[in-house]
Amino acid sequence: MKITSRELRQKFLDFWRTKNHQIIASAPVVPENDPTVLFNTAGMQPLVPYLLGQEHPAGTRLADCQKCVRTVDLEEVGDDSHLSFFEMLGNWSLNDYFKKESIAWSWEFLTAPEWLNISPTKLAVTVFAGDNDAPRDDESADLWSQCGVPPHRIAYLGKKNNWWGPAGQTGPCGPDTEIFYWVGEGEPSLESNPGSDEDNWLEIWNNVFMGYLKNEKGEYLKAPRHNVDTGMGLERIVTVLNGVNTIYATDVFAEMIAKLEELAGQKF
């Protein structure tokens, strides 16, 4: 599927409108009222007050394309899939729907012919394996199975891989389920999934199920509200949809690279 970044951004927002989401504008890159971070590093940060219970003027179902500056991935910037500044596509449930709808709709957007039309054979997922702070997320695994994801494409991983947040030292957080796209040669083997063959699977979407709050003691407590926070890197999904092997080969960078080549008098 050939698609530009502008077309994908619009398609994503149009999809969530069909699910009764209100489209909100990107917040500034520098947080306005959050002393815990220097930059908005994820789509959820401008929405923390609403994830904690404040009513959002647009309602309980939101979608956006948030401008982000990523600091935790700086050592990886310059490879084929990481950027310091990028746009994060996201949808939100503020104590509205939870895992069932989030997973089913993510699968629909990725695989339905009228949306991204990605072959299910190119997709795999990971879910939280559980630890002393929270149980194994069998519910998410079962919901992926209902979508048609075979058991060998579902990997259970620990907190390092499948737990999101909080954005600062304290705040809302929870287990996540990540969606991966096959970037290896040929077709993936039956033994291959993001847990056993991580080099050949690229994460494209992360659905966070915020059912916990981390306090100042480092304890993970059940939250009174259940929120959904998802994030899909715009530049990364454009890369895989266009069948190129690096974000720098997409339209996002085409004009800049062409100008640099003109100034340098050589092709890069």
Side-chain angles (χ1 to χ4, degrees):
M1 179 183 194
K2 300 298 182 181
I3 190 170
T4 67
S5 56
R6 184 185 297 273
E7 289 168 340
L8 176 62
R9 188 189 298 111
Q10 191 61 54
K11 188 177 283 281
F12 180 86
L13 298 177
D14 287 345
F15 174 80
W16 292 107
R17 283 192 183 94
T18 71
K19 307 302 181 186
N20 299 316
H21 286 59
Q22 296 299 310
I23 308 306
I24 59 175
S26 172
V29 170
V30 177
E32 296 176 313
N33 298 299
D34 187 349
T36 66
V37 290
L38 289 174
F39 304 104
N40 279 320
T41 63
M44 61 82 65
Q45 284 182 253
L47 293 171
V48 166
Y50 310 106
L51 295 168
L52 290 172
Q54 182 177 326
E55 289 190 13
H56 195 286
T60 59
R61 297 185 179 191
L62 312 171
D64 67 0
C65 186
Q66 173 65 42
K67 297 177 177 66
C68 299
V69 173
R70 198 75 156 189
T71 55
V72 296
D73 296 327
L74 280 179
E75 293 183 359
E76 297 176 276
V77 170
D79 66 9
D80 291 332
S81 60
H82 289 84
L83 295 169
S84 53
F85 172 84
F86 62 96
E87 294 183 70
M88 184 68 83
L89 300 165
N91 61 282
W92 314 87
S93 166
L94 303 177
N95 206 37
D96 192 323
Y97 62 84
F98 204 46
K99 295 180 182 181
K100 180 179 179 181
E101 295 86 351
S102 178
I103 287 174
W105 290 339
S106 294
W107 188 254
E108 179 184 353
F109 180 67
L110 291 172
T111 64
E114 65 269 33
W115 299 109
L116 298 191
N117 198 30
I118 295 175
S119 170
T121 63
K122 295 284 190 179
L123 299 173
V125 300
T126 61
V127 296
F128 182 53
D131 59 15
N132 292 333
D133 297 319
R136 175 167 138 144
D137 193 4
D138 289 316
E139 180 183 1
S140 289
D142 181 60
L143 290 167
W144 283 120
S145 295
Q146 293 177 36
C147 290
V149 181
H152 58 273
R153 295 283 187 257
I154 302 174
Y156 286 87
L157 300 178
K159 187 170 279 164
K160 178 182 177 181
N161 300 93
N162 280 97
W163 185 277
W164 202 96
Q169 296 301 310
T170 62
C173 55
D176 65 41
T177 181
E178 299 182 353
I179 309 167
F180 291 76
Y181 183 87
W182 172 254
V183 293
E185 295 292 331
E187 294 295 323
S189 68
L190 290 178
E191 295 77 25
S192 178
N193 63 49
S196 62
D197 187 19
E198 62 179 347
D199 290 341
N200 286 312
W201 293 94
L202 177 68
E203 180 197 342
I204 57 171
W205 206 349
N206 186 6
N207 290 19
V208 181
F209 304 123
M210 292 185 177
Y212 290 82
L213 291 172
K214 185 180 181 182
N215 63 21
E216 294 179 352
K217 297 179 181 179
E219 300 169 325
Y220 293 89
L221 308 176
K222 282 288 186 71
R225 297 167 57 88
H226 289 87
N227 306 307
V228 174
D229 151 30
T230 84
M232 173 191 285
L234 174 70
E235 299 84 355
R236 190 176 291 191
I237 191 68
V238 168
T239 300
V240 301
L241 289 174
N242 284 282
V244 295
N245 58 11
T246 173
I247 47 179
Y248 301 106
T250 65
D251 71 294
V252 177
F253 294 95
E255 291 187 12
M256 289 182 283
I257 292 175
K259 186 62 178 178
L260 289 171
E261 290 176 337
E262 177 189 331
L263 294 172
Q266 62 180 352
K267 289 286 185 179
F268 298 146

